[in-house]
Amino acid sequence: EAGVAQSPRYKIIEKRQSVAFWCNPISGHATLYWYQQILGQGPKLLIQFQNNGVVDDSQLPKDRFSAERLKGVDSTLKIQPAKLEDSAVYLCASSPSRSGNTIYFGEGSWLTVV
Amino acid sequence: AQTVTQSQPEMSVQEAETVTLSCTYDTSESDYYLFWYKQPPSRQMILVIRQEAYKQQNATENRFSVNFQKAAKSFSLKISDSQLGDAAMYFCAYRTPSGGGADGLTFGKGTHLIIQP
């Protein structure tokens, strides 16, 4: 079974530029999450999708971050304009359903803003 | 809001020895799930073990076991016969069951586990 796929793995941009990250969850997983992990901290949930609808985006900085999950499969997370403090690993994860099932993570997209 | 606390930023253990990583959490829920994830330098989060709060029996996965104390809101991870490949960051995480709202994981700050050869 293929895992959660993310791209790009690494990205370096200048502040005020834009960046987009892509995620393809495990086939059949209805729930998709984006987490932000700043160096030295645990991951923080940014947004949760159930199929193509948003369940929770309370911690998403909506003035600069946006995310979509068209057709309820893959998802894109965008940052525009980027700030230095956005430097982090962006982890995508998926789960079969909104129950106690395990959440599976991708390898992450490393963002450095200079 | 739920919180997860890992009070040990770093732990060190000799290869083949046993080590215990601590985790406490705060919640008003009675039904929830607890997890330990391992994160190597590649940054991918790998599930180590999970525990359902309604189960009194502690979960075990090969060399990994937990001590779940629901009343004390404590969830520690014991690694027996430590191996060099166990070296990584370990995160304790909490998840509420689905109920129409958000059910993403809440993570602690992590414990860096060092294995001494």
Side-chain angles (χ1 to χ4, degrees), chain B residues 57-117:
Chain B
Q57 186 173 7
N58 289 324
T60 300
E61 288 287 342
N62 300 314
R63 298 182 296 107
F64 299 87
S65 62
V66 298
N67 183 5
F68 173 49
Q69 301 290 328
K70 190 172 184 179
K73 296 180 181 176
S74 171
F75 183 61
S76 61
L77 174 69
K78 185 172 82 172
I79 305 174
S80 304
D81 185 25
S82 297
Q83 300 176 0
L84 294 177
D86 295 334
M89 285 292 292
Y90 285 81
F91 290 94
C92 179
Y94 168 102
R95 187 185 189 194
T96 54
S98 61
D103 67 349
L105 294 164
T106 299
F107 286 90
K109 290 188 175 181
T111 297
H112 181 208
L113 179 62
I114 298 168
I115 310 295
Q116 307 275 8

Side-chain angles (χ1 to χ4, degrees), chain A residues 17-71:
Chain A
Q17 286 187 327
S18 63
V19 64
F21 301 112
W22 174 83
C23 172
N24 192 29
I26 294 172
S27 178
H29 282 195
T31 309
L32 185 148
Y33 309 84
W34 283 101
Y35 287 83
Q36 179 193 56
Q37 186 179 20
I38 294 171
L39 185 65
Q41 299 181 17
K44 181 185 80 171
L45 179 68
L46 292 176
I47 190 167
Q48 175 184 342
F49 291 95
Q50 175 73 9
N51 296 310
N52 61 350
V54 175
V55 174
D56 178 27
D57 63 357
S58 59
Q59 298 193 85
L60 187 73
K62 299 181 185 64
D63 57 333
R64 297 182 299 105
F65 286 65
S66 64
E68 60 183 11
R69 192 184 183 196
L70 300 176
K71 300 181 181 179

